[in-house]
Amino acid sequence: MKYTVKKFISLVVSLLFTSILTFAAFQVIPGDSALSALGIDATEEQLEEYREEMGLNKSLPVRYLNWLKNALRGDFGYSSQYRMQIKVSALIGDRLIVTAWLAVLSFLLIVAVSIPLGILSALKKNYILDSLITLVNQVFMSVPSFFLGMMITLVFGIILKWFTPGSYVNPWENFRLFLRFMIFPAAAVAIPRIAMVVKFLRSSLLREMELDYARTAKSKGMSNIRVLFRHVLKNALIPVITFLAMILADILAGAILVEQVFNLPGLGRLLVSSIANRDYAVVQAIILYSASVVIIINFFVDLIYQWIDPRVRTG
Amino acid sequence: MQPGKNKHDFNYILGLSITSLVLLVVLTGFFYTPYDPNKMDAALRNSPPSLLHLFGTDNFGRDILSRVMKGAGTTYIIAVSIVFVGASLGTIVGALTGYFGGWFDEAIMRLNDVLTSFPSILLALVFVSVFGPGSYNIILALGIIFVPSYARVVRSEFIVLKERDFVKNAKLMGAGNFRIMFVHILPNTGRVLIPSLLIGFNNAVLAEAGLSFLGLGVQPPQASLGRMLSEAQGYLLDSPWYAIAPGVMIILTVLGFSLISGGLANEK
Amino acid sequence: MKSNEILLNIENLTIGFARRRKINTVVDHVTLEVNKGEILGIAGESGSGKTMTVLAVMGLLPVSAKILSGGIHFLGKNLLTMEEKELRRLRGAEISMVFQDSMTSFNPLLTIGAQVEEMLRLHSSLAKEEYRILTLKALEEVGLAPEVYHMYPHQLSGGMRQRAMIAMAMIAGPKLVIADEPTTALDVTTQGKILELLKEMNVKHGTGIILISHDLRVIQSVCDRAVIMKDGRIVESGAAKVLFAHPENEYTRQLVESAPVLFSETGALLKGLDGETFFDCNKDEGEINGNVVQDGTELDMDPNGTNINKDRNETAVCSEWNGSNLKEDRTGTDLNTGPGKDHGEDQAKNQTRDQTRVQNKGKNKNQDKDQEEILIIKNLNVFYPEKGIVLPGKRSRKQVIRNVTISVRQGETLGIIGESGSGKSTLAKAIVGLDTEVEGVIKINGIAAAGSEMSVSRPQMVFQDPYGSLNPMKKIAWILEEPLKLQTNLGKKERMQRVNEMIRQVGLSPEHLERYPHQLSGGQRQRAAIAAALIVNPGLVILDEPVSSLDVTIQAQILCLLKELQKKYNLTYIFISHDLSVTFRFCDRICVIYRGEIAEVKEAGELLCRPQHEYTKELIRSAMLLTA
């Protein structure tokens, strides 16, 4: 209980910290944000009115608190690249779903493929196989997601014609076609990370297999496979959980690039175009969203720890 | 260090060979390229690999091999600079926080936790959106973003090492804090610092490629591996070889260094 | 012990590790047998192959180890040719094992109950409830409460975990239990109890036991027969009592002599480092026992006429070790008369000193009190900051040392004993000034040191693990030179001269200066560490378990070296140890620390023969239990 409270406090502190950083980062931008929002044609009165309306004349802490208050309600103001006609929240809403699907699909792929593969690769151990597994893993880890995306487009889209590049379908128009298309970008995001998790899980399993308690289990007359599943796996998965949480954060990064390759209307592309158009309200919102997701995931990982590890549970 | 003694002999040697090959190509690129990497030739637009142009030409008729040689050089210089900025600052921060501990350490580590839980490219994007795109900004942005990872590595080593008896001994002998930190402890962190420099270089190469791919890194007409991939994306249908050469170059670079650092980490 | 039926028979067993086409033999033609219901001890230093031998019996050798020749028969069945499946049925049910480190040998994520019960489940098919009942019964038998069933390994003490481990090993009713250093990770007080428990199991169930230990006392106390191993070979074997009383093999003799055998069978004799130091507490009070000294020097006798005798024969292990009551006053404050200078002193002067010493030897111990006190501690309290979120300016702390008052005289050796966690190391750190949270008075050479920077006659320390106390990235020369750089104004040439002299003083040669610590053996490393501590001529030296990480044969050499150097440089030692026998042999006076407080401080012999504090009695009793 004490542990949960401690972790919760740490969650709130981290979130606050993140919001301050996100807010503060954009305060150092040179130039007049009213001017950049309204354009150079705006009159002095319009600018002044805008500043008054946005609270730009107030002190920094007050502006932060206002921004945070609105942000908590999901209100990030209007997007300047759409000439202040569209709310940031509306802009993000649609695209969030695309990116979320991409992330979830890749994560499922990673977990579904890497955990069995990791266990399998740890079962047999000899010099040549070891080197080969390490090498194959290393090769896949070295491929950048966006290059992999391009190669997938080339092989499966252009040569094999399993899908038409750029033929993205909205999930609410046709969900099956959406999924059929999304599986390719998801694979591009997932494959390098599958290799990472396999490597990590494998070394964790091999390390745990060497420990005293595994030897004790063997001395009881258990077979190696039984020792692995009954004793070692759970212990070996503890660090893997943290690693998977890190991977989840990393997926977001991969998604930004892969969306670009597959022309997906997701948060990543919105982010890149907002940066190019100096649309700071949108950039701030996206950064705050993704950072919060990462932090909240880490909080849940801490809770999972408590659930599986009695040493955490009972101090 | 005796490479012959570690478990992944074969992979370590393979890594060394790949890296030597890649470095040879890149270093040659600084002095000599088969063609002028920026010379356009309309007659040669999108021509497939041939004896004259080993990796073909791009949509402006530029020789892809020459551009890869030059572009990889740009990528490498940027990556080395990033690692230099990140590792030197990170080492200082890690040494101070690890050695002294206390509330200062707590605060810095909280900040570190928040920063490292972000994907680095996301942070780099924030940086670029604030300061604008370009090679120097990328070096600065990614360098600073890499600080926490080095700080963490160095800090955890310092925390372990400062409890070791040889440090207590140094204190008893009357060595000052800074002498203990940088003369007694720091040389002992090499074991973990050197592999993490190699990994950091890889991450920097990938991050540069990613940012330039998004058009936020190296600006044209300068070539870098990410920049080339970004340009190649539009011509995947007509000239797929345009993408393959820089892509393979990135893979080989990253692969070589990770095999080497894997071999180093396996040593006892 | 029912019959002489052979339970386990190992014949000509040879095990090797293959490394790059070269085979490194770790067990070399070992032949031994275990009879039903007998306890066989296997003794030997680390790396002697004793663990590999028994792991081969269990079929648990590391993958890289190969059995090169020989056979292992259990009740007539060849274990080496047995199918893996059949072997698994044997493991746990017929032969089970008790491991050294009970913390790491239990799965941290499962309850003790689940892990003990699992052994039963693997080898029998009963109703669910029955498993539970039998497990609880097994726990009860080893003296554990039923609550332990639901507890996790980290919630138990080391002794309790080791009991649970024994319950687990015994629950399926095996005929042979292999206990690999079952008491090494435990405190002295717990060690005896665990051995008693093993003996009890052996008697009650007639289980054969192989007991592996590097500690001869452990072997001697419970084993019927024993074998001594060295470098993978059995050097001697026989009935335990006979073997240790009359060792025939040279190595066994060396081991027995240098081993910390605290008490003889009469329960009162200590064999000393120098071969013949005795604490002979005769039970008949008033009767003076023993002019057991060969060289004719006078005896140390208590003025009360009691029967505590202590003397040393200088012909044995340490040829140069004399008594430690030095008369010559050297406060050690002057840094410039370093060891080198001292060493270069006239031989004649040394001789006079020796003579003084011989004369002093016979004198009453009480005279020592006139000697100058080099260290005075008054009302010392030491705190540790509490772990957790530390806010600036706000701190909670835990008291580790309570109200300690003690003084150390020039030239004496004060021993500090206590269990791990008793605060003995904290006390040492406080004395040298490594801990900042200190209240009270610490005076070294009359200079107050508590809380303040010490600039003069900084005491030095020799740590337990020389591998940890020498900077692994620096050469020995650099390590020895560093304190001179920091504390003296000597030039490079003079410093190197001093380094070269010092390295010889500790029995190493100048060629060792160009090596890194990992290129030296354990004993050489500790010599280098001693050189580094003494090079600035500290006067007061804290020895924090200086021999605990070394093999017994090396231990004696290092202790001798320390005594020799103490004499040469007129050093004062504070010797911290958890090992009673080493402490009694090495120290003049002993201070017992219990839960952060001084339980008692006495002359070594007095403490051994007439402990006052309950905890001291308990300590000595438990050490005796081992050989009872």
Side-chain angles (χ1 to χ4, degrees):
Chain A
M1 210 42 225
K2 207 179 148 195
Y3 175 83
T4 315
V5 172
K6 230 170 102 180
K7 288 293 164 193
F8 186 76
I9 292 170
S10 149
L11 167 77
V12 173
V13 171
S14 295
L15 285 175
L16 263 176
F17 223 53
T18 309
S19 69
I20 293 173
L21 277 182
T22 314
F23 178 79
F26 290 89
Q27 301 306 310
V28 294
I29 297 169
D32 186 343
S33 62
L35 195 67
S36 59
L38 300 182
I40 34 173
D41 303 334
T43 61
E44 192 53 44
E45 284 98 67
Q46 282 174 311
L47 288 175
E48 195 48 49
E49 196 186 328
Y50 178 83
R51 290 191 191 106
E52 193 61 45
E53 191 192 335
M54 303 309 285
L56 289 175
N57 296 331
K58 302 220 170 67
S59 72
L60 212 59
V62 175
R63 265 158 49 208
Y64 165 70
L65 286 177
N66 280 334
W67 176 78
L68 185 65
K69 208 167 70 194
N70 289 329
L72 285 175
R73 287 199 304 250
D75 181 7
F76 289 92
Y78 290 88
S79 158
S80 66
Q81 65 184 317
Y82 291 94
R83 309 200 160 271
M84 311 306 281
Q85 298 305 305
I86 303 176
K87 286 207 89 157
V88 172
S89 49
L91 211 53
I92 286 178
D94 290 354
R95 288 162 172 85
L96 187 64
I97 294 169
V98 177
T99 304
W101 268 107
L102 180 59
V104 167
L105 278 177
S106 346
F107 190 70
L108 289 179
L109 259 176
I110 291 169
V111 173
V113 177
S114 64
I115 292 191
L117 262 184
I119 295 173
L120 217 62
S121 72
L123 278 178
K124 277 262 179 274
K125 202 173 168 260
N126 69 53
Y127 182 80
I128 295 172
L129 205 63
D130 266 7
S131 304
L132 199 69
I133 291 172
T134 312
L135 183 62
V136 171
N137 258 330
Q138 241 13 303
V139 169
F140 278 112
M141 280 164 62
S142 308
V143 185
S145 279
F146 59 94
F147 181 65
L148 195 61
M150 288 165 79
M151 290 300 108
I152 286 175
T153 309
L154 182 64
V155 175
F156 296 100
I158 296 172
I159 298 172
L160 294 174
K161 300 201 188 309
W162 288 7
F163 72 100
T164 320
S167 66
Y168 168 79
V169 183
N170 271 328
W172 37 88
E173 278 171 24
N174 186 333
F175 191 67
R176 260 197 56 225
L177 282 180
F178 167 75
L179 273 190
R180 240 200 84 160
F181 184 82
M182 287 299 276
I183 205 75
F184 294 98
V189 174
I191 288 171
R193 287 154 187 100
I194 287 173
M196 290 180 202
V197 178
V198 167
K199 183 186 176 193
F200 193 87
L201 175 60
R202 184 180 127 86
S203 67
S204 178
L205 279 168
L206 292 179
R207 193 172 52 237
E208 294 283 328
M209 264 321 241
E210 298 286 309
L211 292 185
D212 288 353
Y213 73 86
R215 188 180 61 181
T216 309
K218 279 181 217 158
S219 84
K220 287 174 170 178
M222 295 172 101
S223 63
N224 275 359
I225 291 183
R226 205 159 163 188
V227 171
L228 187 115
F229 280 102
R230 166 126 172 101
H231 287 278
V232 170
L233 188 57
K234 215 170 152 192
N235 279 292
L237 279 177
I238 290 176
V240 175
I241 290 167
T242 313
F243 193 69
L244 280 175
M246 277 166 60
I247 289 287
L248 204 49
D250 191 46
I251 285 176
L252 289 176
I256 294 171
L257 291 157
V258 169
E259 281 174 10
Q260 207 75 12
V261 177
F262 286 88
N263 246 325
L264 295 178
L267 276 188
R269 274 185 64 210
L270 177 64
L271 180 64
V272 173
S273 73
S274 304
I275 290 171
N277 291 310
R278 314 191 127 240
D279 188 354
Y280 298 124
V282 178
V283 177
Q284 258 178 326
I286 294 175
I287 298 292
L288 190 66
Y289 263 118
S290 28
S292 305
V293 167
V294 169
I295 291 168
I296 290 168
I297 287 167
N298 278 321
F299 170 69
F300 282 112
V301 167
D302 285 336
L303 292 191
I304 293 174
Y305 268 145
Q306 191 187 10
W307 175 57
I308 53 174
D309 193 337
R311 285 165 297 186
V312 176
R313 195 159 59 225
T314 57
Chain B
M1 293 187 208
Q2 291 156 301
K5 272 192 179 165
N6 68 63
K7 228 170 73 189
H8 296 286
D9 251 343
F10 172 74
N11 286 339
Y12 183 78
I13 290 163
L14 184 67
L16 280 179
S17 325
I18 291 174
T19 302
S20 324
L21 184 77
V22 168
L23 280 178
L24 188 74
V25 170
V26 172
L27 290 177
T28 312
F30 285 121
F31 308 105
Y32 166 80
T33 49
Y35 297 89
D36 179 350
N38 289 325
K39 194 181 149 236
M40 303 184 193
D41 187 342
L44 283 170
R45 286 183 59 180
N46 293 337
S47 57
S50 63
L51 279 177
L52 280 175
H53 297 278
L54 279 176
F55 294 127
T57 60
D58 69 4
N59 54 315
F60 292 113
R62 296 175 292 197
D63 178 51
I64 290 176
L65 175 63
S66 304
R67 279 183 77 71
V68 166
M69 287 170 84
K70 256 286 187 278
T74 311
T75 301
Y76 275 33
I77 290 173
I78 292 176
V80 168
S81 316
I82 290 169
V83 172
F84 179 76
V85 171
S88 43
L89 289 178
T91 301
I92 294 170
V93 172
L96 289 172
T97 52
Y99 187 76
F100 290 109
W103 64 268
F104 171 68
D105 174 45
E106 284 283 329
I108 294 283
M109 280 305 124
R110 263 299 87 100
L111 183 68
N112 250 356
D113 281 345
V114 175
L115 289 182
T116 38
S117 62
F118 281 71
S120 59
I121 196 149
L122 203 64
L123 282 175
L125 286 178
V126 176
F127 215 95
V128 169
S129 82
V130 173
F131 293 103
S135 321
Y136 290 112
N137 280 346
I138 285 200
I139 291 172
L140 206 61
L142 288 170
I144 290 171
I145 287 158
F146 278 20
V147 168
S149 64
Y150 287 105
R152 184 173 288 223
V153 167
V154 172
R155 175 182 176 268
S156 62
E157 279 293 293
F158 263 70
I159 286 178
V160 174
L161 290 168
K162 76 170 175 183
E163 295 300 328
R164 290 273 292 275
D165 290 337
F166 73 84
V167 174
K168 290 180 191 160
N169 236 341
K171 270 186 211 165
L172 291 182
M173 288 164 187
N177 283 331
F178 284 89
R179 188 173 176 86
I180 291 177
M181 282 164 70
F182 295 107
V183 178
H184 289 259
I185 300 182
L186 193 62
N188 285 288
T189 59
R191 192 177 51 83
V192 293
L193 201 56
I194 288 165
S196 70
L197 287 178
L198 295 181
I199 296 294
F201 177 79
N202 277 349
N203 288 337
V205 166
L206 289 173
E208 185 282 326
L211 283 178
S212 297
F213 178 75
L214 293 176
L216 300 170
V218 171
Q219 299 299 308
Q222 207 183 2
S224 86
L225 296 177
R227 182 77 225 151
M228 289 178 75
L229 280 173
S230 167
E231 288 161 8
Q233 205 206 338
Y235 300 91
L236 213 50
L237 197 64
D238 308 318
S239 43
W241 52 86
Y242 190 6
I244 289 172
V248 169
M249 192 68 182
I250 294 177
I251 295 174
L252 288 180
T253 302
V254 174
L255 180 63
F257 278 104
S258 28
L259 290 177
I260 293 174
S261 87
L264 291 180
N266 271 328
E267 276 185 53
K268 296 220 173 86
Chain C
M1 280 156 260
K2 280 177 273 180
S3 65
N4 264 354
E5 208 180 323
I6 293 170
L7 199 58
L8 179 78
N9 185 13
I10 298 178
E11 246 177 298
N12 272 322
L13 184 69
T14 304
I15 302 171
F17 283 94
R19 239 176 228 141
R20 311 212 133 230
R21 274 177 255 117
K22 260 177 75 187
I23 287 172
N24 183 10
T25 311
V26 288
V27 174
D28 193 357
H29 292 94
V30 163
T31 299
L32 59 83
E33 50 187 53
V34 185
N35 297 322
K36 266 194 179 160
E38 121 178 295
I39 304 183
L40 174 79
I42 303 183
E45 298 179 71
S46 56
S48 62
K50 46 195 198 311
T51 299
M52 283 297 149
T53 308
V54 294
L55 285 181
V57 173
M58 292 298 287
L60 292 178
L61 283 175
V63 200
S64 47
K66 296 273 173 295
I67 293 177
L68 302 172
S69 73
I72 303 173
H73 292 264
F74 179 74
L75 292 172
K77 285 175 283 185
N78 189 345
L79 296 183
L80 296 183
T81 56
M82 201 180 263
E83 290 270 317
E84 173 66 20
K85 228 175 167 180
E86 211 179 328
L87 203 59
R88 282 210 301 269
R89 266 202 295 277
L90 216 70
R91 275 184 215 142
E94 302 279 315
I95 311 173
S96 64
M97 214 161 159
V98 174
F99 294 97
Q100 168 175 355
D101 187 346
S102 58
M103 186 70 208
T104 57
S105 296
F106 274 118
N107 185 339
L109 302 183
L110 298 176
T111 59
I112 294 289
Q115 295 187 60
V116 175
E117 203 170 300
E118 183 180 45
M119 179 74 107
L120 206 56
R121 283 173 191 273
L122 285 166
H123 298 290
S124 60
S125 48
L126 301 167
K128 210 179 166 190
E129 197 44 35
E130 270 179 278
Y131 283 127
R132 206 180 124 84
I133 292 168
L134 286 171
T135 305
L136 286 169
K137 222 181 108 190
L139 290 176
E140 195 194 335
E141 201 182 344
V142 295
L144 290 174
E147 293 90 79
V148 171
Y149 186 92
H150 295 290
M151 287 166 92
Y152 289 95
H154 72 276
Q155 294 171 304
L156 303 183
S157 70
M160 284 162 87
R161 273 198 303 270
Q162 204 53 279
R163 282 171 190 274
M165 185 82 86
I166 291 171
M168 188 163 83
M170 292 298 299
I171 195 167
K175 297 192 177 69
L176 178 66
V177 171
I178 298 170
D180 187 4
E181 304 265 8
T183 58
T184 308
L186 302 173
D187 270 323
V188 200
T189 41
T190 326
Q191 281 187 8
K193 288 177 191 151
I194 293 296
L195 288 177
E196 244 175 275
L197 181 64
L198 276 174
K199 182 89 193 168
E200 191 188 314
M201 291 291 152
N202 161 261
V203 172
K204 198 165 160 190
H205 303 283
T207 316
I209 295 177
I210 297 179
L211 181 63
I212 297 178
S213 183
H214 70 283
D215 187 344
L216 292 185
R217 287 177 301 173
V218 169
I219 302 284
Q220 205 177 357
S221 63
V222 287
C223 296
D224 306 310
R225 279 192 317 121
V227 297
I228 312 284
M229 284 185 76
K230 183 188 198 289
D231 299 335
R233 260 171 253 169
I234 291 184
V235 295
E236 198 171 357
S237 63
K241 295 249 149 57
V242 183
L243 191 69
F244 292 118
H246 311 286
E248 297 207 331
N249 179 279
E250 178 54 39
Y251 175 73
T252 316
R253 188 155 52 235
Q254 209 185 341
L255 204 61
V256 170
E257 267 168 18
S258 61
V261 180
L262 181 50
F263 302 100
S264 78
E265 279 169 36
T266 58
L269 185 87
L270 174 75
K271 201 157 202 179
L273 192 55
D274 46 3
E276 303 289 333
T277 298
F278 295 102
F279 296 100
D280 202 347
C281 325
N282 197 312
K283 297 282 182 283
D284 305 324
E285 230 170 314
E287 188 184 320
I288 300 169
N289 182 16
N291 293 1
V292 273
V293 189
Q294 284 107 29
D295 61 3
T297 39
E298 233 179 302
L299 275 177
D300 292 343
M301 264 159 42
D302 217 53
N304 311 327
T306 45
N307 43 12
I308 296 152
N309 305 295
K310 181 176 183 179
D311 208 331
R312 287 158 176 160
N313 177 343
E314 282 128 38
T315 56
V317 188
C318 300
S319 53
E320 279 193 75
W321 176 8
N322 285 330
S324 48
N325 334 342
L326 293 180
K327 253 305 177 210
E328 197 176 334
D329 280 338
R330 284 189 57 221
T331 48
T333 35
D334 54 341
L335 291 167
N336 289 326
T337 54
K341 219 170 183 179
D342 190 41
H343 179 59
E345 268 175 342
D346 205 354
Q347 193 66 30
K349 197 175 174 187
N350 276 332
Q351 270 169 6
T352 29
R353 211 193 279 168
D354 277 349
Q355 278 161 11
T356 325
R357 199 175 300 125
V358 172
Q359 282 159 16
N360 282 336
K361 204 162 185 176
K363 292 192 180 172
N364 198 306
K365 289 262 179 194
N366 281 351
Q367 279 198 355
D368 290 352
K369 286 189 181 133
D370 306 333
Q371 202 131 34
E372 196 176 322
E373 285 172 333
I374 188 168
L375 172 71
I376 298 169
I377 297 173
K378 271 191 195 135
N379 302 324
L380 182 74
N381 292 295
V382 183
F383 306 88
Y384 273 171
E386 213 61 91
K387 286 247 163 82
I389 299 167
V390 186
L391 296 169
K394 201 182 168 189
R395 275 173 149 194
S396 61
R397 55 191 199 169
K398 192 177 136 197
Q399 189 159 10
V400 200
I401 292 289
R402 263 184 215 90
N403 220 9
V404 163
T405 299
I406 194 171
S407 58
V408 184
R409 291 184 296 272
Q410 173 74 45
E412 84 167 331
T413 303
L414 175 77
I416 298 181
I417 51 176
E419 291 176 317
S420 54
S422 61
K424 55 185 193 305
S425 291
T426 309
L427 181 60
K429 278 197 232 154
I431 293 169
V432 296
L434 282 177
D435 269 313
T436 44
E437 293 260 346
V438 171
E439 283 171 9
V441 179
I442 300 175
K443 273 187 183 171
I444 297 170
N445 284 327
I447 298 157
S452 69
E453 278 292 307
M454 275 170 294
S455 54
V456 202
S457 76
R458 196 186 285 271
Q460 292 296 311
M461 214 161 155
V462 175
F463 295 89
Q464 169 172 358
D465 178 11
Y467 201 65
S469 63
L470 300 173
N471 192 332
M473 294 300 286
K474 306 285 185 190
K475 287 179 177 165
I476 300 298
W478 189 94
I479 292 170
L480 293 194
E481 194 190 345
E482 177 77 354
L484 295 173
K485 270 191 233 160
L486 293 165
Q487 297 193 19
T488 66
N489 299 322
L490 299 175
K492 174 86 185 162
K493 216 176 134 197
E494 288 163 295
R495 288 201 301 261
M496 286 324 288
Q497 199 182 338
R498 178 87 61 94
V499 166
N500 271 302
E501 276 165 28
M502 196 66 223
I503 200 79
R504 285 199 195 89
Q505 288 299 308
V506 294
L508 296 175
S509 63
E511 68 182 76
H512 292 114
L513 289 173
E514 287 310 304
R515 302 210 185 145
Y516 288 99
H518 68 89
Q519 294 169 318
L520 302 178
S521 70
Q524 288 173 334
R525 277 200 289 267
Q526 194 61 293
R527 283 171 193 270
I530 290 168
L534 297 187
I535 198 157
V536 285
N537 197 24
L540 176 64
V541 182
I542 317 275
L543 308 166
D544 189 359
E545 308 254 12
V547 294
S548 301
S549 66
L550 303 172
D551 280 338
V552 273
T553 40
I554 314 285
Q555 282 191 5
Q557 294 168 14
I558 296 294
L559 290 174
C560 290
L561 174 72
L562 285 169
K563 275 292 170 195
E564 205 178 291
L565 292 166
Q566 181 175 40
K567 186 188 72 181
K568 201 169 276 163
Y569 300 133
N570 191 21
L571 299 168
T572 309
Y573 286 152
I574 295 181
F575 184 86
I576 296 167
S577 181
H578 69 280
D579 187 333
L580 276 86
S581 37
V582 169
T583 312
F584 277 113
R585 287 185 302 165
F586 191 76
C587 301
D588 304 317
R589 235 162 24 111
I590 293 174
C591 163
V592 183
I593 298 270
Y594 180 58
R595 292 188 181 167
E597 284 174 274
I598 292 183
E600 59 187 307
V601 193
K602 278 197 179 123
E603 299 291 317
E606 178 80 16
L607 185 79
L608 181 65
C609 298
R610 274 187 288 282
Q612 298 286 311
H613 195 275
E614 273 312 310
Y615 176 71
T616 319
K617 285 181 190 165
E618 172 74 18
L619 262 184
I620 291 172
R621 207 167 30 235
S622 61
M624 280 197 199
L625 249 182
L626 293 176
T627 51

